Amino acid sequence: MAINARIASTEQSNKGDKIYLYHLPQAPAWSAYGQSAYALRLYVKNHGYDNLRGYSEEYQMPCTVVGEETVKRMRTSDLVLDEQQGCYLALTSPLSFDYNDYIRWTAKLRAESAEPHPLNVETPVSAFVPKDRFIKDNMSSFTRNGKRLLDCFSSLLLLVAFSPLFLVCYIAVRREDGGPAIFRQERIGRFGKPFNIYKFRTMRLDAEAMGPQLSHSGGEEDPRLTKVGRFLRAHHLDELPQLWNVFTGDMAFIGPRPERKFYIDQILEYDKRYIYLYQIRPGVTSYATLYNGYTDTMEKMLRRLEYDLYYLGHRSWLVDSKVLIKTFFSIVFGKKF
């Protein structure tokens, strides 16, 4: 069932004593909507838990957001767990409230949501990333072509050299739950054209039953991860199939990490400069990954964009070499991106 249909169904039958929680796509957090949001708000305030509240324009309902740690504590409290299914929880609360108070709270949140809330970020490279003019690719056409040829030959050699490791990973993923070993997902690449990115599957088959979610939104303890998947991700082995993306020309070894259109549309609402990245191929690793890590919030996405734009305007053979060497040593020494 799609998340919007499930929310509509559960909240229509909610009498105020239920808290229906959904894993939030953009952060390691959980969200409740409608009367569930108000019931959750009362509960967490009564117990001193951290939370955020707002009005969801997408679902036309109030919403309350709590973190993973808060949910863990709630599940060991006086709340009754009625149902758990992937990224969905149903709890019964001992607290009750007046429906008119809920209506007044909803009206207040709707009024607040009408006010713009800009999200601005500053990074160590912000001074080198102009906000008022176009950022041109720093590489010449000759250098770009040379980079592409090197990527093509290198990826082919690595595909052959790592073929035994590919086979081991493939068998391990298949044997754990019988599902497909290769995960395929549409991303946006050079010139804004979509392509399919390939990885070894690290999550359960129902990992996105509640809608699109960032792959690292749940952290290392993400319940969507399989046992084999957790190992593959910890050692970055899940990225190996992207060598094929590099060989076919959809990606490069070094470049901005490719994103889904679902999240690009959200980024563009805050910063239109994202389209400048369409000048170059996305990469298996990036300058931004080294200094910003993987993204699980909109703020981190915008910080990553600053680093990606800096790379776009300064990239060269030397810069790419530094990124590749630092990435190699980060993986060898077990650094978490």
Side-chain angles (χ1 to χ4, degrees):
M1 182 185 294
I3 185 170
N4 55 348
R6 169 161 260 171
I7 291 172
S9 174
T10 54
E11 292 311 319
Q12 283 175 2
S13 61
N14 193 358
K15 303 301 182 183
D17 61 335
K18 300 289 186 182
I19 299 177
Y20 299 104
L21 285 166
Y22 308 85
H23 200 279
L24 192 65
Q26 297 172 329
W30 294 75
S31 57
Y33 301 90
Q35 293 193 68
S36 289
Y38 193 56
L40 176 61
R41 175 72 171 169
L42 292 178
Y43 189 85
V44 296
K45 284 187 68 178
N46 190 53
H47 290 75
Y49 298 161
D50 293 332
N51 68 98
L52 297 172
R53 89 286 185 277
Y55 189 79
S56 171
E57 295 294 341
E58 181 178 4
Y59 302 117
Q60 293 295 300
M61 295 181 185
C63 61
T64 299
V65 181
V66 292
E68 294 277 11
E69 288 303 316
T70 295
V71 172
K72 289 179 182 178
R73 292 167 64 187
M74 287 170 57
R75 292 180 61 179
T76 60
S77 64
D78 53 349
L79 292 171
V80 178
L81 177 63
D82 297 320
E83 184 181 356
Q84 178 178 0
Q85 181 183 343
C87 302
Y88 167 75
L89 289 174
L91 304 160
T92 298
S93 173
L95 302 178
S96 60
F97 57 85
D98 185 274
Y99 185 74
N100 290 326
D101 289 338
Y102 163 69
I103 294 299
R104 284 190 288 269
W105 186 65
T106 301
K108 178 183 177 183
L109 294 181
R110 185 186 291 114
E112 290 177 356
S113 71
E115 301 176 4
H117 296 282
L119 181 60
N120 298 313
V121 300
E122 291 292 331
T123 70
V125 299
S126 293
F128 305 99
V129 182
K131 298 184 182 298
D132 57 351
R133 66 178 186 272
F134 178 71
I135 300 175
K136 184 178 179 296
D137 180 10
N138 190 58
M139 276 190 173
S140 66
S141 59
F142 176 80
T143 308
R144 284 196 299 270
N145 290 333
K147 173 181 167 70
R148 173 62 198 135
L149 286 173
L150 182 61
D151 281 349
C152 184
F153 285 118
S154 299
S155 59
L156 179 59
L157 290 174
L158 291 173
L159 281 168
V160 174
F162 289 152
S163 56
L165 184 57
F166 268 85
L167 182 60
V168 171
C169 294
Y170 182 91
I171 294 173
V173 175
R174 287 282 294 175
R175 290 194 61 177
E176 181 167 17
D177 59 12
I182 300 296
F183 173 75
R184 181 178 66 180
Q185 190 177 75
E186 185 177 273
R187 301 290 176 96
I188 302 302
R190 194 182 185 197
F191 306 129
K193 295 181 179 179
F195 71 95
N196 285 321
I197 193 173
Y198 298 98
K199 296 183 178 183
F200 282 119
R201 182 171 58 86
T202 59
M203 292 189 176
R204 300 197 319 262
L205 296 173
D206 64 346
E208 291 200 331
M210 296 296 110
Q213 300 191 41
L214 292 164
S215 62
H216 289 73
S217 63
E220 294 180 26
E221 301 304 321
D222 193 328
R224 298 173 298 162
L225 287 172
T226 63
K227 291 181 180 179
V228 171
R230 185 171 283 107
F231 176 85
L232 293 178
R233 183 174 291 185
H235 296 84
H236 303 282
L237 295 175
D238 60 317
E239 310 280 0
L240 279 176
Q242 289 173 46
L243 290 172
W244 178 253
N245 288 119
V246 176
F247 179 71
T248 58
D250 291 326
M251 296 175 64
F253 277 109
I254 311 298
R257 287 295 293 164
E259 192 54 86
R260 280 188 275 181
K261 188 177 185 299
F262 178 86
Y263 292 112
I264 291 176
D265 290 343
Q266 296 180 48
I267 295 171
L268 288 172
E269 292 180 8
Y270 291 94
D271 198 327
K272 301 296 184 184
R273 295 177 300 169
Y274 189 94
I275 60 175
Y276 298 165
L277 300 181
Y278 291 162
Q279 297 175 76
I280 59 179
R281 290 181 177 84
V284 176
T285 187
S286 71
Y287 180 86
T289 300
L290 290 175
Y291 297 100
N292 191 56
Y294 284 114
T295 56
D296 53 15
T297 66
M298 179 54 63
E299 183 177 2
K300 285 185 179 181
M301 286 184 180
L302 296 177
R303 287 175 58 86
R304 179 186 64 183
L305 177 59
E306 291 273 323
Y307 285 108
D308 283 337
L309 291 172
Y310 175 82
Y311 168 77
L312 173 66
H314 296 81
R315 73 179 189 139
S316 65
W317 282 93
L318 179 61
V319 171
D320 277 11
S321 298
K322 288 181 178 179
V323 171
L324 200 59
I325 292 171
K326 287 184 178 180
T327 299
F328 173 77
F329 282 106
S330 295
I331 293 174
V332 169
F333 291 106
K335 178 183 176 181
K336 302 296 183 183
F337 293 117

